[in-house]
Amino acid sequence: MGKLRQTALILGEGPTEFFYFKSLCDVFKRLTIKPDYPKHTNLRELEAKIEEGVAMGYSHIFCIIDMDTKDKEPEHSQYIRLKAKYAEPINKPKKGIYCKVEFFETHRCTELFFLYYFRYTSRPYEDQESLLKDLNQCVEYRKTIDFFIKSKGLHSYFERNGGCLVSATANADQSMEEKLSSERDYTYSELGKLMKTLENL
């Protein structure tokens, strides 16, 4: 039996998002944020995690999506289908379930939002490596669980090293405005929108 509670389940596709959103629990103190991620980074696993969250009675499920793996088939079609499936909130009053599932995309990957802590860019990245190289010019960063643990919270690590979440949010919003006005389909992040959604919950 699901219970209605104003809690957010944040589903990333891997450990990067898990460790990052765990580090934001201090920022959004009023919220119960539970980050989680599938054992295998495929959309079927992500869907299973969404269903699990719905059954557990979460009122909001936010899926953090890296778009660099969604521009080829079959992932592209699977992702469009998954978004369509959850376009409307899940409402099962008899079971006490009401859940809104939302998707927040970043191209190429979540690390772009980390770079936005330090500076804005709209340059196209051929691969993750070139993006990570730019990020490393601003702050030391390794995409390993070891590094995530040693940083003692990615959010505070970025801020201790001169980054700023307010800037990251503003930069992400700018990337979305440019994406919409120029129909650019690369180097953008909806995570600024997610931060505002979390603030307003």
Side-chain angles (χ1 to χ4, degrees), residues 15-188:
T16 305
E17 293 79 16
F18 172 81
F19 281 98
Y20 176 64
F21 282 97
K22 207 172 159 61
S23 76
L24 283 179
C25 289
D26 295 346
V27 179
F28 302 104
K29 286 191 173 72
R30 295 174 302 110
L31 266 185
T32 309
I33 299 180
K34 184 186 183 303
D36 200 354
Y37 65 97
K39 292 286 168 276
H40 306 286
T41 57
N42 64 43
L43 289 166
R44 197 174 297 130
E45 290 259 349
L46 183 64
E47 188 172 352
K49 281 280 181 197
I50 294 171
E51 291 300 326
E52 202 177 286
V54 170
M56 285 165 73
Y58 282 96
S59 55
H60 298 273
I61 298 176
F62 301 123
C63 302
I64 314 304
I65 304 294
D66 287 349
M67 293 306 286
D68 62 352
T69 54
K70 308 291 175 294
D71 44 17
K72 292 189 178 70
E73 295 299 349
E75 283 77 12
H76 180 72
S77 300
Q78 288 169 354
Y79 178 56
I80 298 298
R81 185 192 62 78
L82 188 65
K83 273 175 80 172
K85 180 178 177 179
Y86 296 107
E88 295 296 319
I90 296 152
N91 192 5
K92 297 178 181 175
K94 283 183 179 159
K95 290 186 175 169
I97 288 173
Y98 182 87
C99 180
K100 200 171 174 190
V101 181
E102 291 181 73
F103 296 83
F104 295 87
E105 303 168 356
T106 299
H107 189 283
R108 299 199 67 87
C109 53
T110 301
E111 277 79 8
L112 177 68
F113 189 70
F114 300 166
L115 178 58
Y116 282 165
Y117 265 75
F118 302 92
R119 64 180 179 83
Y120 182 72
T121 185
S122 60
R123 68 167 274 212
Y125 289 101
E126 286 302 309
D127 48 35
Q128 268 194 37
E129 278 59 49
S130 50
L131 172 55
L132 294 180
K133 201 169 153 187
D134 272 8
L135 178 56
N136 270 285
Q137 287 175 351
C138 302
V139 66
E140 190 195 339
Y141 177 86
R142 300 282 168 268
K143 198 171 177 140
T144 64
I145 288 177
D146 226 29
F147 176 79
F148 298 152
I149 293 166
K150 277 187 190 142
S151 72
K152 297 186 169 35
L154 284 172
H155 163 69
S156 58
Y157 170 72
F158 296 144
E159 296 220 320
R160 284 196 307 274
N161 285 282
C164 170
L165 179 57
V166 175
S167 301
T169 302
N171 286 333
D173 289 347
Q174 184 185 334
S175 76
M176 289 310 298
E177 281 163 25
E178 287 177 10
K179 177 185 188 279
L180 292 171
S181 64
S182 67
E183 297 188 5
R184 179 173 94 216
D185 63 350
Y186 57 85
T187 318
Y188 61 86

